[in-house]
Amino acid sequence: MIQRIRGTADILPGAIPRWRKIEETAREFFQRYGFREIRTPIFERTELFARTVGEETDIVAKEMYTFKDRSGESLSLRPESTASVVRAYIENKLWVDAPLTRLFYAGPQFRYERPQKGRLRQFHQIGAEVLGQSDDPMIEAEVIEMLSSFLDALGITTRVLLVNSIGCPDCRPRYLAGLRAALEPSIGAMCEDCRRRFEINTLRVLDCKVESDQAVIASLPAMVDYLCGACAEHFEAFRRHLDTAAIPYRLEKRLVRGLDYYRRTAFEIVSDDLGAQNTLVGGGRYDGLAELLGGPPTKGFGFALGVERMLLMLPEGAAEEASDGPEVYLAYIGPAARERAIALSRRLRRAGWSAALDFEERKLKKSLAMADKLKARRVLIIGDEEISAGAYILRDMKSGDQQTIEDADLVRRLEEISIHSGRRWS
Ligand SMILES: [Zn+2]
Ligand SMILES: [Zn+2]
């Protein structure tokens, strides 16, 4: 038997209501803040990620699914979507439309990581990017406000917002020099990742989670103490806007973003409910990324959230109203009733109702069991007697109540009943 690839998952129908709940709530809240959906290809030229994410990052060096296509070109499955969105922004000249472009996306990403709990090789992200000429810190604050109301709406409340500034090309070199000097005496005794990062991307030493390195890391200087005037002012204004919006946060001086192109504001939303992989949302500012891709000078700010982790935090029962069971299941007894049931299902569907029936003849008891299994809201019972009387029996599967409904009145009566008791399970 051929099995699915390690690190991938089949998302079965029973799980779909919870996925939809997250996706649809994101669409609703992001649109409230003026974001429009974009869908980019799941594969791109490898060079796109090498140039933006950074050749030296773990993502590009070790985790990308890279392959040559039949023409010999090197392509990669996207390991994240910001690079693709910025490429599309430039290639389609979206900057012409408006001074600020707000885009969001939802879809699969691919990284060849060691499979472990909560880590898949095909995983799903929802993210948003604000691209344009302005780097007003209100952009950051507004996006975080949007995220807060989105997470509140899903009932994901046990979370903490962490913020930091990682400076800019003017002030970061001085900090990195200070960081290297502080690390110099102890780096030899630190973990392998730290020693490698020390050489190629010193900032990421701060990311290390190895227990024995934490004492050294806690003693290192912080970027926020090295910010240039403009960066300090930006960070202060951003935090003031958060205060005004009554959004609580914690300054996390060790917070850096994993990708090379970030600068200034960095943030994460974390939750202790998630265990070791506790990041729910990660984001930051990436002014200058568009220029790296040959685009016009563009400021950028965005985030990505992991849908699989959101699912772990979505409260039990949060998606029940999105049950995908049929509104009406048609149970028939006998060949004439079968023909009538098929005609009625057609009538109901045209009127906008979801109707289900089985083409295999069953005893009524078996049909009711089937309706129950399909999570049908109601069952319409049709036998020879009902056909000659011109009326059917409608059974509410939740309460067990039954009533007779005239054939001519079927759709109208269903609408009436549903006003009182809902169209679907709720
Ligand atoms: Zn700066
Ligand atoms: Zn380390």
Side-chain angles (χ1 to χ4, degrees):
M1 198 226 131
I2 299 172
Q3 293 182 322
R4 65 169 186 268
I5 295 168
R6 199 165 173 222
T8 65
D10 298 312
I11 303 161
L12 301 175
I16 293 293
R18 287 170 69 82
W19 281 79
R20 279 206 187 156
K21 177 76 182 178
I22 291 171
E23 291 161 357
E24 282 161 16
T25 307
R27 286 198 171 89
E28 183 192 332
F29 278 81
F30 295 4
Q31 279 166 5
R32 280 190 204 180
Y33 284 79
F35 285 79
R36 298 166 75 207
E37 185 167 357
I38 185 167
R39 301 187 186 192
T40 60
I42 62 161
F43 62 119
E44 301 267 2
R45 286 174 219 280
T46 301
E47 195 194 350
L48 174 70
F49 305 113
R51 229 200 278 178
T52 57
V53 176
E55 214 119 25
E56 299 299 340
T57 57
D58 287 354
I59 292 178
V60 171
K62 301 187 208 162
E63 294 168 1
M64 274 209 304
Y65 277 90
T66 296
F67 57 96
K68 286 212 159 58
D69 74 0
R70 287 173 193 277
S71 73
E73 184 158 26
S74 180
L75 307 177
S76 294
L77 300 186
R78 62 183 185 202
E80 56 102 49
S81 279
T82 300
S84 303
V85 171
V86 174
R87 183 209 36 77
Y89 172 81
I90 299 165
E91 190 167 342
N92 298 286
K93 296 192 169 55
L94 297 183
W95 73 85
V96 175
D97 300 342
L100 265 189
T101 305
R102 291 180 169 88
L103 300 167
F104 75 91
Y105 60 84
Q109 319 286 337
F110 305 85
R111 289 184 202 175
Y112 191 85
E113 293 188 276
R114 235 173 319 147
Q116 48 181 299
K117 203 179 175 303
R119 275 225 176 155
L120 289 168
R121 290 177 174 175
Q122 175 176 332
F123 58 102
H124 296 76
Q125 288 187 333
I126 297 175
E129 318 289 351
V130 183
L131 296 157
Q133 293 315 304
S134 171
D135 64 352
D136 193 305
M138 191 55 216
I139 292 170
E140 278 102 312
E142 192 184 63
V143 165
I144 287 170
E145 182 187 307
M146 173 177 91
L147 271 169
S148 298
S149 50
F150 161 68
L151 292 169
D152 284 347
L154 289 175
I156 297 176
T157 49
T158 50
R159 55 177 209 256
V160 181
L161 168 65
L162 308 176
V163 303
N164 193 21
S165 175
I166 52 175
C168 71
D170 287 339
C171 53
R172 207 184 298 161
R174 200 166 65 85
Y175 170 63
L176 289 177
L179 193 60
R180 278 198 202 94
L183 274 167
E184 200 83 72
S186 12
I187 191 67
M190 293 177 80
C191 77
E192 195 192 322
D193 275 344
C194 281
R195 293 202 304 270
R196 192 169 48 85
R197 287 165 176 174
F198 180 73
E199 299 301 333
I200 57 176
N201 189 351
T202 314
L203 201 57
R204 294 212 51 213
V205 169
L206 299 174
D207 254 351
C208 176
K209 300 284 188 289
V210 173
E211 198 49 51
S212 54
D213 288 351
Q214 295 312 305
V216 175
I217 289 169
S219 72
L220 296 173
M223 181 69 230
V224 284
D225 299 323
Y226 283 75
L227 297 178
C228 66
C231 284
E233 205 175 293
H234 185 98
F235 194 45
E236 233 170 76
F238 162 61
R239 294 166 67 180
R240 219 167 37 237
H241 294 321
L242 289 181
D243 291 338
T244 307
I247 295 170
Y249 65 87
R250 206 168 74 208
L251 173 63
E252 179 54 64
K253 294 181 179 182
R254 312 284 161 216
L255 176 68
V256 292
R257 300 299 312 144
L259 309 184
D260 285 353
Y261 52 67
Y262 285 102
R263 63 182 69 179
R264 286 194 173 166
T265 313
F267 78 97
E268 281 184 4
I269 297 175
V270 299
S271 176
D272 289 340
D273 293 358
L274 287 169
Q277 303 287 336
N278 70 345
T279 306
L280 193 59
V281 186
R285 174 161 288 288
Y286 50 82
D287 305 340
L289 180 62
E291 285 106 302
L292 264 182
L293 296 175
T298 306
K299 319 277 189 195
F301 178 75
F303 68 83
L305 59 85
V307 179
E308 280 83 358
R309 289 185 196 172
M310 300 261 307
L311 284 164
L312 294 176
M313 290 198 63
L314 192 65
E316 208 63 47
E320 265 176 4
E321 78 263 33
S323 160
D324 57 353
E327 291 159 327
V328 183
Y329 184 87
L330 297 105
Y332 56 86
I333 306 122
R338 177 186 143 115
E339 290 313 304
R340 179 62 63 96
I342 291 170
L344 285 172
S345 69
R346 192 174 296 130
R347 218 167 110 197
L348 286 171
R349 288 166 182 159
R350 281 188 182 150
W353 290 79
S354 70
L357 74 166
D358 210 330
F359 301 127
E360 194 181 323
E361 173 112 44
R362 286 195 175 82
K363 295 234 159 56
L364 181 61
K365 214 175 135 191
K366 285 256 165 84
S367 286
L368 290 177
M370 178 64 72
D372 199 43
K373 207 172 159 191
L374 290 173
K375 299 197 174 81
R377 180 77 171 88
R378 299 182 179 85
V379 177
L380 195 66
I381 301 167
I382 307 143
D384 291 338
E385 235 172 89
E386 282 73 24
I387 294 176
S388 51
Y392 318 108
I393 296 162
L394 184 72
R395 182 188 171 92
D396 187 300
M397 290 297 282
K398 203 177 194 175
S399 64
D401 293 344
Q402 297 197 158
Q403 54 185 304
T404 304
I405 293 189
E406 302 274 330
D407 178 82
D409 268 357
L410 179 62
V411 171
R412 192 182 57 79
R413 288 285 293 129
L414 269 174
E415 295 291 352
E416 269 173 24
I417 294 162
S418 73
I419 290 166
H420 300 294
S421 56
R423 280 182 83 131
R424 295 162 189 264
W425 288 119
S426 54

